[in-house]
Amino acid sequence: MGAHEHGPVDLPGGPVNAEGRAVNEPLLAALTGAAVNCCMPCVERLLDEVAAEPACVARLVEVSRLTAIRMDRGELPGYMTDDDDPFGPAAPEFKRLVRAVTAAERVTEVCEQMTTSERRAAADMAIEMLVGQLTIANETGLDDRATLAEMCRGVADLLVEWWFSTAPVARREFTTTWEQYAFGHREAGLPGNGVDALALVLGSFLHHQARQDQVPVEDLGSLVFTRVLPVLENPQQARVILDAFVAPPENDAITVPVKRYARSNLDFFAELCRYARHALTLHVRDCPHGLRETNHACTLWHRGPALDQGAGAQVAAPTPEEGPRVALPLIGFSADEPAEDAPAGHNSDHTWQINVDRIVLERWDHQVAHWNEAISEDSSISEPNYQHEVGLEPLRCPACNSHGPFLAEGSWGDPLTLHCRCGVTMMSPLDATADDLGRRVLKRLILCEADPAYAARRVTALLVAHQKQQMKGRASSWYRGPDSQDISIAEAVDLTSSDVVGALTSVLKPRLPERHEGRALNLLLVQVVDAVSAPAVHDSPDGQQLAEAVRDLLADLKEESDRWAPTREPVVDRLRTWQAEGGPQLWQDAWARTLRMAETRFARYRVGDGRISDGCAGVTLAQYLLAREAETGIEQVTTDAVRSLMPPTEEQGADRDPATVMRRWAERLQVLGHDLDAPDDPVARLWRHLSTDRPAGVLGKRHEPALTLGLDTLLGKHSVYCVRL
């Protein structure tokens, strides 16, 4: 008996597998110990016992597979998975289970579907390979250098992050798409915001292409990663590649749920493929080596420096014909399409060479947007200090960070070529679309070169568009007056000054050439200052017209501000004004009680749409009415008693008819002796105010008396204020 006793060799994994199934660890340890000691009788006997437990077979195959991956520098040997491989083990059952593990299938369930003899064959092959691998590893050790899978996954991380930094809109679109599958994510156990999942999918395709092209880790930069694009067009084919991808083991937390969810939801996986395709396409478009070359075969070597530097552009290797080239910075920048055609008197193919001090553009800052998003999600911040996401800033050379001067070159409608004094040339791609930033900037520069006053006409058009947008907003039911920051600018600018530029500068304090942030009006007026500051523009008729348009805009804004001034009044001040109108002692007592509540709850609120102040007025009127009828003091009126005067809810089984409620209130006030049309009765005056119909929703299609809307705001079932008397 003693000859058959072997020291156990524990396998990693624990007593329970990922599916929560119990694994007989002592049995597997005994089998491994017997195999290491080459005791075949014990091995044969223990294999029979292991074959009877599917979870044990699954664990044995998983450990054997993982050991082989570590022995083969992160790759899974073909003989462990390929049925046609003539050099590998002959047991198809073992290969089937290895493929299942790689594809993140529930291997224990696959084992349960096999017969006992099939499980025994798989276990036999697994223990044989495991012992052989352990023997070799004990003699030679494991190679801990970076594997091809790790490198491809790391490159994918950089590609995705670079893409999201270069195209912030793409990040928002991807987030929206990811959230559409939120329920499936929770079911599949997918963590994070989807960026890791996208990088994993892209990394699997890069790894597949590297294997196809026989590109080793040491020469991965030579991989033409754009060859992946055709695969991404076919989600069915792409899913096979993902299933076969031997991701780094430390990525299992994301690898397993992604592979499983991709199998159960092809639409979700097709979306990941689509975004991966967009990421690669953008890299090709912005590669400096392909700026003037069609069908450029972009490699990782070409994009490496740009990826390492985050969103920075890469300087291409200089050639005798041209100086160093860089992709035109596009991160968040936007430019309007010129409304005017090419200048008259010049051929369409005329090549312009324009010296320009600086090029000022709008740029959306994704880092500020992330900061604002983090603030909005932090419930501990009671008064979030949001920063402006959009600002004006000059275009800078990615090589030397200079914002000018530049020499712009090109014909009308061409991609932009911009020469910096440091010797670097910024270029937009030759195949850039018509709305490309570079094309629009070049058109603007050409128009200003032909007629400097175009700068004033351009900003005038922006000002008119801004004013039209404001007028459209004023007609909306949700409009509650101009923004306080816009009002502060309008009130601070001296419209009587003959020097509009000086008046605007003293208020706006433009920070150009550094980034100048602010609301749309702030940025628009800074563009006015930037355009009209040039004497050739300031003294032109177009410049004078722009100055007059600015005066009209700000004067109109001041008038609109005065019209909406009552909405900016503090709620407590509005209530005190109503209280000061006088009235009987019980009426004053009701106001005093309401004010004590409001000073605690609404001390920092403005009147705004009036619902809070109207609600407080309604509470005051209800207290007065109930106290008069019951012949008690105001303090005896409860919150529930006030609620009893509100329109019934749907749960109470009655039709919600505010008009009926108003009629009943009016009748009860008249019984108390109030003439509701009397001009000198403060109770009647407040009643007439609360009887006015207000929009009941954002769209403004339904109206309701201010009394019922206000009471519902403070005391309704869905009220967020939780007011108590």
Side-chain angles (χ1 to χ4, degrees):
M1 250 338 256
H4 291 12
E5 292 179 359
H6 315 287
V9 177
D10 294 328
L11 298 184
V16 179
N17 63 16
E19 278 71 47
R21 310 288 283 275
V23 177
N24 191 337
E25 287 189 294
L27 176 59
L28 289 177
L31 172 63
T32 308
V36 169
N37 285 276
C38 300
C39 182
M40 296 314 298
C42 286
V43 169
E44 294 296 325
R45 175 177 55 82
L46 293 171
L47 276 175
D48 291 337
E49 297 181 32
V50 169
E53 299 191 27
C56 286
V57 176
R59 171 66 59 78
L60 193 58
V61 172
E62 289 169 353
V63 174
S64 176
R65 170 187 172 275
L66 182 60
T67 306
I69 291 173
R70 290 173 174 168
M71 290 289 298
D72 202 29
R73 288 200 63 191
E75 299 298 328
L76 189 60
Y79 59 76
M80 296 186 73
T81 57
D82 299 340
D83 291 331
D84 297 331
D85 192 304
F87 304 105
E93 299 85 359
F94 174 75
K95 295 181 180 180
R96 175 186 173 187
L97 292 180
V98 171
R99 289 194 296 265
V101 175
T102 305
E105 297 180 26
R106 301 182 186 279
V107 187
T108 302
E109 295 179 3
V110 176
C111 286
E112 290 174 340
Q113 298 167 4
M114 301 170 68
T115 65
T116 303
S117 60
E118 289 175 332
R119 288 196 296 270
R120 192 186 192 286
D124 188 10
M125 185 59 63
I127 192 63
E128 179 182 338
M129 296 196 66
L130 176 60
V131 172
Q133 293 157 358
L134 292 176
T135 302
I136 296 174
N138 187 53
E139 295 176 355
T140 63
L142 296 176
D143 191 341
D144 58 358
R145 289 178 296 172
T147 66
L148 185 62
E150 290 171 339
M151 293 290 290
C152 289
R153 172 61 201 272
V155 169
D157 285 332
L158 291 173
L159 284 167
V160 171
E161 185 56 37
W162 187 94
W163 177 47
F164 283 156
S165 299
T166 304
V169 174
R171 180 186 287 271
R172 295 202 300 271
E173 291 178 353
F174 176 75
T175 300
T176 300
T177 301
W178 181 259
E179 290 174 349
Q180 291 175 357
Y181 296 91
F183 180 77
H185 297 165
R186 290 193 295 270
E187 291 293 306
L190 265 173
N193 57 6
V195 177
D196 287 340
L198 180 60
L200 172 73
V201 170
L202 182 53
S204 70
F205 302 136
L206 295 177
H207 177 265
H208 173 75
Q209 194 61 46
R211 294 284 299 273
Q212 291 286 103
D213 295 346
Q214 298 182 345
V215 178
V217 173
E218 295 76 15
D219 200 29
L220 185 60
S222 64
L223 175 66
V224 181
F225 63 84
T226 50
R227 292 180 185 169
V228 173
L229 290 171
V231 177
L232 293 171
E233 297 284 353
N234 187 340
Q236 292 280 11
Q237 178 186 357
R239 198 178 68 184
V240 174
I241 294 174
L242 176 63
D243 281 345
F245 176 49
V246 184
E250 59 270 17
N251 292 157
D252 281 352
I254 189 72
T255 302
V256 172
V258 166
K259 289 187 175 184
R260 290 180 178 176
Y261 194 31
R263 281 197 300 275
S264 64
N265 192 325
L266 187 60
D267 290 339
F268 161 77
F269 182 63
E271 289 288 353
L272 290 182
C273 290
R274 180 170 68 88
Y275 282 107
R277 187 170 66 249
H278 289 337
L280 294 183
T281 302
L282 185 64
H283 280 279
V284 176
R285 190 190 74 183
D286 287 341
C287 178
H289 292 266
L291 289 174
R292 293 295 187 264
E293 302 170 13
T294 57
N295 300 322
H296 171 66
C298 195
T299 69
L300 291 178
W301 282 130
H302 291 170
R303 303 307 294 151
L307 299 178
D308 288 340
Q309 298 167 13
Q314 174 199 0
V315 179
T319 64
E321 293 79 16
E322 298 184 48
R325 296 170 293 167
V326 301
L328 185 72
L330 301 172
I331 307 171
F333 285 109
S334 61
D336 52 287
E337 178 67 31
E340 299 183 16
D341 294 329
H346 299 276
N347 295 329
S348 59
D349 59 350
H350 174 71
T351 300
W352 295 79
Q353 290 187 326
I354 306 167
N355 288 297
V356 55
D357 288 335
R358 67 186 186 198
I359 301 172
V360 177
L361 299 170
E362 279 194 2
R363 186 175 76 86
W364 181 80
D365 193 320
H366 74 282
Q367 292 181 337
V368 173
H370 290 168
W371 169 259
N372 289 341
E373 183 179 357
I375 291 177
S376 67
E377 295 175 351
D378 190 342
S379 59
S380 66
I381 302 177
S382 58
E383 296 184 17
N385 182 23
Y386 295 112
Q387 300 180 27
H388 293 291
E389 298 178 7
V390 179
L392 289 173
E393 61 183 73
L395 195 65
R396 293 179 181 270
C397 172
C400 69
N401 205 35
S402 167
H403 52 72
F406 301 122
L407 174 64
E409 187 176 19
S411 301
W412 181 267
D414 279 355
L416 175 64
T417 299
L418 204 62
H419 302 281
C420 179
R421 58 187 175 183
C422 73
V424 167
T425 300
M426 289 171 276
M427 310 172 81
S428 48
L430 184 63
D431 58 350
T433 58
D435 61 350
D436 173 67
L437 175 73
R439 294 183 189 273
R440 290 185 172 186
V441 169
L442 181 57
K443 288 180 180 180
R444 183 199 300 184
L445 296 178
I446 290 174
L447 289 169
C448 288
E449 179 72 7
D451 179 10
Y454 169 74
R457 296 196 298 274
R458 170 186 167 271
V459 180
T460 300
L462 297 177
L463 189 147
V464 170
H466 175 83
Q467 200 162 17
K468 286 182 178 179
Q469 186 178 12
Q470 295 300 308
M471 291 299 180
K472 183 179 179 181
R474 293 177 188 180
S476 303
S477 60
W478 47 260
Y479 179 67
R480 294 293 178 268
D483 181 82
S484 59
Q485 295 183 44
D486 291 350
I487 294 171
S488 63
I489 292 176
E491 292 178 344
V493 175
D494 182 8
L495 299 181
T496 63
S497 173
S498 60
D499 183 8
V500 173
V501 173
L504 291 174
T505 300
S506 64
V507 173
L508 300 173
K509 297 179 174 56
R511 289 183 288 276
L512 295 174
E514 300 303 320
R515 178 179 172 86
H516 182 100
E517 301 169 341
R519 287 177 47 79
L521 177 64
N522 187 301
L523 299 182
L524 179 59
L525 295 179
V526 170
Q527 291 187 73
V528 171
V529 173
D530 189 56
V532 185
S533 295
V537 180
H538 180 274
D539 299 333
S540 68
D542 292 307
Q544 296 301 313
Q545 181 180 352
L546 174 58
E548 197 59 36
V550 169
R551 290 191 180 92
D552 292 342
L553 173 67
L554 296 180
D556 174 72
L557 186 57
K558 290 179 68 175
E559 291 179 5
E560 184 70 5
S561 170
D562 294 339
R563 187 166 74 88
W564 283 89
T567 66
R568 299 194 296 275
E569 181 184 12
V571 167
V572 174
D573 288 357
R574 170 68 63 86
L575 302 183
R576 287 177 179 149
T577 301
W578 279 329
Q579 181 192 32
E581 293 181 359
Q585 185 59 46
L586 198 63
W587 180 245
Q588 289 296 310
D589 292 343
W591 271 120
R593 191 182 185 198
T594 299
L595 274 166
R596 286 196 298 270
M597 176 271 294
E599 288 168 351
T600 302
R601 189 66 182 82
F602 304 117
R604 306 177 72 173
Y605 282 71
R606 303 283 175 173
V607 171
D609 62 5
R611 290 200 181 190
I612 293 177
S613 56
D614 291 343
C616 291
V619 168
T620 302
L621 187 60
Q623 292 180 87
Y624 171 76
L625 176 62
L626 293 169
R628 279 283 307 275
E629 290 178 339
E631 297 182 353
T632 63
I634 291 297
E635 299 297 334
Q636 305 303 314
V637 179
T638 65
T639 304
D640 290 337
V642 175
R643 284 200 181 98
S644 69
L645 299 179
M646 295 170 58
T649 63
E650 296 178 359
E651 290 81 356
Q652 292 171 329
D655 293 333
R656 191 180 190 281
D657 185 2
T660 301
V661 174
M662 297 297 292
R663 187 168 56 252
R664 291 172 183 167
W665 278 57
E667 292 171 353
R668 294 167 73 168
L669 288 171
Q670 288 170 338
V671 169
L672 296 177
H674 289 284
D675 178 2
L676 301 184
D677 295 323
D680 57 348
D681 183 354
V683 177
R685 284 199 299 271
L686 187 66
W687 170 257
R688 290 194 294 273
H689 169 81
L690 295 175
S691 299
T692 306
D693 281 350
R694 309 288 189 196
V698 175
L699 299 179
K701 295 182 179 180
R702 184 173 65 84
H703 287 70
E704 192 171 315
L707 174 65
T708 56
L709 283 175
L711 288 176
D712 189 63
T713 299
L714 297 192
L715 303 174
K717 178 181 177 181
H718 302 292
S719 171
V720 298
Y721 298 107
C722 302
V723 170
R724 302 291 298 180
L725 292 174

